[in-house]
Amino acid sequence: MKAQMTSKKLRKMSIKELESIANVYALKVSTFQKAGATDDEDYKRIAGELIHVVNIIDWKREEKNNKPKIKY
């Protein structure tokens, strides 16, 4: 049984962890595309999850850039 990855759990992960997950999803999407199975429900689900993870990575990078750098 796989553990569910919720948006809340994904937002708590580091960018490196999220990039690792995105790489796995990208590999799976690529495999479906090479097989010509882009109408498959699993392909659509995995592609959607990949987009979601990438959006969280982008959000985390924006948040990181928007934080003021305070020197003490």
Side-chain angles (χ1 to χ4, degrees):
M1 182 173 153
K2 279 200 293 190
Q4 287 282 24
M5 293 304 299
T6 62
S7 294
K8 186 176 182 179
K9 288 180 184 177
L10 289 171
R11 282 189 219 104
K12 290 182 179 182
M13 292 180 157
S14 70
I15 291 176
K16 285 188 178 197
E17 290 173 313
L18 291 169
E19 287 174 340
S20 176
I21 291 170
N23 287 336
V24 171
Y25 283 144
L27 181 61
K28 289 180 181 181
V29 166
S30 175
T31 303
F32 275 103
Q33 289 174 342
K34 287 179 184 174
T38 55
D39 290 333
D40 191 282
E41 289 300 316
D42 286 335
Y43 168 80
K44 293 176 183 177
R45 180 184 52 80
I46 292 169
E49 290 174 4
L50 173 61
I51 291 169
H52 184 64
V53 171
V54 169
N55 287 339
I56 292 174
I57 291 169
D58 290 342
W59 171 76
K60 286 183 84 79
R61 286 187 177 146
E62 274 185 38
E63 289 293 310
K64 186 177 179 181
N65 291 336
N66 289 339
K67 285 186 180 176
K69 294 182 180 176
I70 300 171
K71 293 184 181 180
Y72 293 100

